[in-house]
mmCIF file of all heavy atoms in Angstrom:
data_model
loop_
_atom_site.group_PDB
_atom_site.id
_atom_site.type_symbol
_atom_site.label_atom_id
_atom_site.label_comp_id
_atom_site.label_asym_id
_atom_site.label_seq_id
_atom_site.Cartn_x
_atom_site.Cartn_y
_atom_site.Cartn_z
ATOM 1 N N GLY A 1 -7.346 -2.531 2.673
ATOM 2 C CA GLY A 1 -8.468 -3.268 3.238
ATOM 3 C C GLY A 1 -8.019 -4.680 3.661
ATOM 4 O O GLY A 1 -6.864 -4.909 4.176
ATOM 5 N N ASP A 2 -8.796 -5.608 3.253
ATOM 6 C CA ASP A 2 -8.530 -7.005 3.670
ATOM 7 C C ASP A 2 -7.234 -7.699 2.889
ATOM 8 O O ASP A 2 -6.756 -8.669 3.404
ATOM 9 C CB ASP A 2 -9.809 -7.949 3.362
ATOM 10 C CG ASP A 2 -10.950 -7.673 4.121
ATOM 11 O OD1 ASP A 2 -10.782 -7.123 5.303
ATOM 12 O OD2 ASP A 2 -12.144 -7.873 3.709
ATOM 13 N N LEU A 3 -6.858 -7.036 1.923
ATOM 14 C CA LEU A 3 -5.754 -7.526 1.125
ATOM 15 C C LEU A 3 -4.505 -7.556 2.019
ATOM 16 O O LEU A 3 -3.630 -8.319 1.911
ATOM 17 C CB LEU A 3 -5.418 -6.715 -0.069
ATOM 18 C CG LEU A 3 -6.295 -6.847 -1.300
ATOM 19 C CD1 LEU A 3 -5.770 -5.993 -2.441
ATOM 20 C CD2 LEU A 3 -6.224 -8.232 -1.775
ATOM 21 N N GLU A 4 -4.406 -6.614 2.970
ATOM 22 C CA GLU A 4 -3.119 -6.424 3.805
ATOM 23 C C GLU A 4 -3.292 -6.930 5.196
ATOM 24 O O GLU A 4 -2.314 -6.794 5.916
ATOM 25 C CB GLU A 4 -2.699 -5.028 3.818
ATOM 26 C CG GLU A 4 -3.719 -3.986 4.602
ATOM 27 C CD GLU A 4 -3.307 -2.541 4.565
ATOM 28 O OE1 GLU A 4 -1.929 -2.460 4.477
ATOM 29 O OE2 GLU A 4 -4.098 -1.673 4.767
ATOM 30 N N THR A 5 -4.486 -7.537 5.606
ATOM 31 C CA THR A 5 -4.591 -7.998 6.942
ATOM 32 C C THR A 5 -4.360 -9.480 7.128
ATOM 33 O O THR A 5 -4.337 -10.035 8.191
ATOM 34 C CB THR A 5 -6.032 -7.763 7.487
ATOM 35 O OG1 THR A 5 -7.044 -8.494 6.694
ATOM 36 C CG2 THR A 5 -6.324 -6.271 7.415
ATOM 37 N N VAL A 6 -4.127 -10.181 6.010
ATOM 38 C CA VAL A 6 -3.881 -11.603 6.035
ATOM 39 C C VAL A 6 -2.323 -12.013 5.741
ATOM 40 O O VAL A 6 -1.718 -11.208 5.202
ATOM 41 C CB VAL A 6 -4.849 -12.250 5.038
ATOM 42 C CG1 VAL A 6 -6.247 -12.131 5.585
ATOM 43 C CG2 VAL A 6 -4.657 -11.867 3.586
ATOM 44 N N MET A 7 -2.031 -13.283 5.968
ATOM 45 C CA MET A 7 -0.732 -13.753 5.535
ATOM 46 C C MET A 7 0.404 -12.904 5.838
ATOM 47 O O MET A 7 0.709 -12.480 6.987
ATOM 48 C CB MET A 7 -0.845 -14.173 4.134
ATOM 49 C CG MET A 7 -1.906 -15.256 3.788
ATOM 50 S SD MET A 7 -1.937 -15.947 2.113
ATOM 51 C CE MET A 7 -2.457 -14.605 1.104
ATOM 52 N N GLU A 8 1.088 -12.270 4.730
ATOM 53 C CA GLU A 8 2.304 -11.483 4.993
ATOM 54 C C GLU A 8 1.932 -10.091 5.828
ATOM 55 O O GLU A 8 2.587 -9.826 6.643
ATOM 56 C CB GLU A 8 2.946 -11.065 3.674
ATOM 57 C CG GLU A 8 3.419 -12.199 2.886
ATOM 58 C CD GLU A 8 4.697 -12.723 3.589
ATOM 59 O OE1 GLU A 8 5.687 -12.190 3.593
ATOM 60 O OE2 GLU A 8 4.551 -13.978 4.107
ATOM 61 N N GLY A 9 0.640 -9.649 5.522
ATOM 62 C CA GLY A 9 0.312 -8.489 6.235
ATOM 63 C C GLY A 9 0.191 -8.750 7.758
ATOM 64 O O GLY A 9 0.478 -7.866 8.612
ATOM 65 N N LYS A 10 -0.290 -9.955 8.028
ATOM 66 C CA LYS A 10 -0.611 -10.320 9.460
ATOM 67 C C LYS A 10 0.785 -10.421 10.230
ATOM 68 O O LYS A 10 0.886 -10.034 11.387
ATOM 69 C CB LYS A 10 -1.437 -11.581 9.529
ATOM 70 C CG LYS A 10 -1.620 -12.097 11.026
ATOM 71 C CD LYS A 10 -2.458 -13.482 10.812
ATOM 72 C CE LYS A 10 -2.781 -14.049 12.295
ATOM 73 N NZ LYS A 10 -3.456 -15.289 12.181
ATOM 74 N N TYR A 11 1.612 -10.989 9.527
ATOM 75 C CA TYR A 11 2.961 -11.410 10.253
ATOM 76 C C TYR A 11 4.001 -10.339 10.131
ATOM 77 O O TYR A 11 5.079 -10.270 10.753
ATOM 78 C CB TYR A 11 3.502 -12.640 9.831
ATOM 79 C CG TYR A 11 2.688 -13.833 10.379
ATOM 80 C CD1 TYR A 11 1.639 -14.429 9.598
ATOM 81 C CD2 TYR A 11 2.832 -14.378 11.547
ATOM 82 C CE1 TYR A 11 0.885 -15.407 9.966
ATOM 83 C CE2 TYR A 11 2.119 -15.388 12.078
ATOM 84 C CZ TYR A 11 1.137 -15.909 11.268
ATOM 85 O OH TYR A 11 0.292 -16.938 11.741
ATOM 86 N N ARG A 12 3.851 -9.320 9.073
ATOM 87 C CA ARG A 12 4.866 -8.370 8.855
ATOM 88 C C ARG A 12 4.053 -6.923 8.662
ATOM 89 O O ARG A 12 3.923 -6.355 7.734
ATOM 90 C CB ARG A 12 5.555 -8.631 7.489
ATOM 91 C CG ARG A 12 6.275 -9.882 7.506
ATOM 92 C CD ARG A 12 6.998 -10.154 6.238
ATOM 93 N NE ARG A 12 8.127 -9.315 6.002
ATOM 94 C CZ ARG A 12 8.835 -9.185 4.947
ATOM 95 N NH1 ARG A 12 8.520 -9.929 3.844
ATOM 96 N NH2 ARG A 12 9.813 -8.330 4.874
ATOM 97 N N GLN A 13 3.610 -6.588 9.886
ATOM 98 C CA GLN A 13 2.813 -5.350 9.967
ATOM 99 C C GLN A 13 3.609 -4.050 9.401
ATOM 100 O O GLN A 13 4.716 -3.973 9.784
ATOM 101 C CB GLN A 13 2.332 -5.102 11.334
ATOM 102 C CG GLN A 13 1.350 -6.013 11.780
ATOM 103 C CD GLN A 13 0.753 -5.818 13.181
ATOM 104 O OE1 GLN A 13 0.929 -4.732 13.771
ATOM 105 N NE2 GLN A 13 -0.005 -6.780 13.700
ATOM 106 N N GLY A 14 2.980 -3.418 8.469
ATOM 107 C CA GLY A 14 3.531 -2.302 7.950
ATOM 108 C C GLY A 14 4.354 -2.544 6.711
ATOM 109 O O GLY A 14 4.796 -1.523 5.913
ATOM 110 N N HIS A 15 4.609 -3.730 6.375
ATOM 111 C CA HIS A 15 5.405 -4.125 5.331
ATOM 112 C C HIS A 15 4.880 -3.680 4.037
ATOM 113 O O HIS A 15 5.508 -3.031 3.211
ATOM 114 C CB HIS A 15 5.595 -5.627 5.250
ATOM 115 C CG HIS A 15 6.134 -6.243 3.903
ATOM 116 N ND1 HIS A 15 7.432 -6.064 3.645
ATOM 117 C CD2 HIS A 15 5.541 -6.945 2.890
ATOM 118 C CE1 HIS A 15 7.615 -6.669 2.449
ATOM 119 N NE2 HIS A 15 6.670 -7.201 2.025
ATOM 120 N N PHE A 16 3.523 -3.869 3.805
ATOM 121 C CA PHE A 16 2.988 -3.528 2.518
ATOM 122 C C PHE A 16 2.727 -2.080 2.203
ATOM 123 O O PHE A 16 2.798 -1.489 1.206
ATOM 124 C CB PHE A 16 1.636 -4.191 2.235
ATOM 125 C CG PHE A 16 1.802 -5.784 1.955
ATOM 126 C CD1 PHE A 16 1.296 -6.713 2.816
ATOM 127 C CD2 PHE A 16 2.716 -6.149 0.927
ATOM 128 C CE1 PHE A 16 1.366 -8.032 2.442
ATOM 129 C CE2 PHE A 16 2.801 -7.459 0.651
ATOM 130 C CZ PHE A 16 2.188 -8.421 1.392
ATOM 131 N N ASN A 17 2.579 -1.278 3.437
ATOM 132 C CA ASN A 17 2.666 0.177 3.223
ATOM 133 C C ASN A 17 4.040 0.653 2.761
ATOM 134 O O ASN A 17 4.092 1.445 1.927
ATOM 135 C CB ASN A 17 2.344 0.765 4.616
ATOM 136 C CG ASN A 17 1.888 2.257 4.411
ATOM 137 O OD1 ASN A 17 0.809 2.561 4.059
ATOM 138 N ND2 ASN A 17 2.868 3.174 4.737
ATOM 139 N N GLY A 18 5.107 0.020 3.248
ATOM 140 C CA GLY A 18 6.452 0.335 2.816
ATOM 141 C C GLY A 18 6.614 -0.054 1.327
ATOM 142 O O GLY A 18 7.293 0.703 0.632
ATOM 143 N N VAL A 19 6.134 -1.160 0.834
ATOM 144 C CA VAL A 19 6.179 -1.666 -0.443
ATOM 145 C C VAL A 19 5.447 -0.524 -1.395
ATOM 146 O O VAL A 19 6.047 -0.209 -2.352
ATOM 147 C CB VAL A 19 5.575 -3.029 -0.657
ATOM 148 C CG1 VAL A 19 5.282 -3.346 -2.236
ATOM 149 C CG2 VAL A 19 6.297 -4.008 -0.146
ATOM 150 N N ALA A 20 4.286 -0.312 -0.914
ATOM 151 C CA ALA A 20 3.515 0.821 -1.767
ATOM 152 C C ALA A 20 4.260 2.158 -1.864
ATOM 153 O O ALA A 20 4.208 2.710 -2.930
ATOM 154 C CB ALA A 20 2.081 0.934 -1.228
ATOM 155 N N GLN A 21 4.841 2.523 -0.821
ATOM 156 C CA GLN A 21 5.557 3.825 -0.690
ATOM 157 C C GLN A 21 6.573 3.718 -1.710
ATOM 158 O O GLN A 21 6.717 4.646 -2.600
ATOM 159 C CB GLN A 21 6.073 4.173 0.630
ATOM 160 C CG GLN A 21 5.105 4.464 1.619
ATOM 161 C CD GLN A 21 5.708 4.566 3.016
ATOM 162 O OE1 GLN A 21 6.871 4.243 3.411
ATOM 163 N NE2 GLN A 21 5.027 5.371 3.889
ATOM 164 N N VAL A 22 7.479 2.674 -1.663
ATOM 165 C CA VAL A 22 8.620 2.742 -2.700
ATOM 166 C C VAL A 22 8.324 2.511 -4.113
ATOM 167 O O VAL A 22 8.819 3.097 -5.046
ATOM 168 C CB VAL A 22 9.757 1.635 -2.205
ATOM 169 C CG1 VAL A 22 9.318 0.242 -2.397
ATOM 170 C CG2 VAL A 22 11.069 1.953 -2.799
ATOM 171 N N VAL A 23 7.269 1.547 -4.333
ATOM 172 C CA VAL A 23 7.000 1.290 -5.650
ATOM 173 C C VAL A 23 6.256 2.446 -6.370
ATOM 174 O O VAL A 23 6.578 2.890 -7.590
ATOM 175 C CB VAL A 23 6.121 -0.004 -5.802
ATOM 176 C CG1 VAL A 23 5.639 -0.219 -7.225
ATOM 177 C CG2 VAL A 23 6.783 -1.194 -5.398
ATOM 178 N N SER A 24 5.439 3.155 -5.569
ATOM 179 C CA SER A 24 4.784 4.429 -6.090
ATOM 180 C C SER A 24 5.870 5.468 -6.362
ATOM 181 O O SER A 24 5.788 6.142 -7.433
ATOM 182 C CB SER A 24 3.666 4.878 -5.218
ATOM 183 O OG SER A 24 4.304 5.183 -4.003
#
């Protein structure tokens, strides 16, 4: 949701999906 559309998420699209994939 909104957690990933701002700041790092805005400038590094797909970054947090990759983080969630590896950490999980």
Side-chain angles (χ1 to χ4, degrees):
D2 292 338
L3 286 179
E4 64 179 336
T5 61
V6 296
M7 299 187 296
E8 294 297 287
K10 178 180 178 180
Y11 290 94
R12 302 179 69 187
Q13 292 185 7
H15 169 69
F16 287 126
N17 197 75
V19 168
Q21 286 176 343
V22 73
V23 174
S24 61

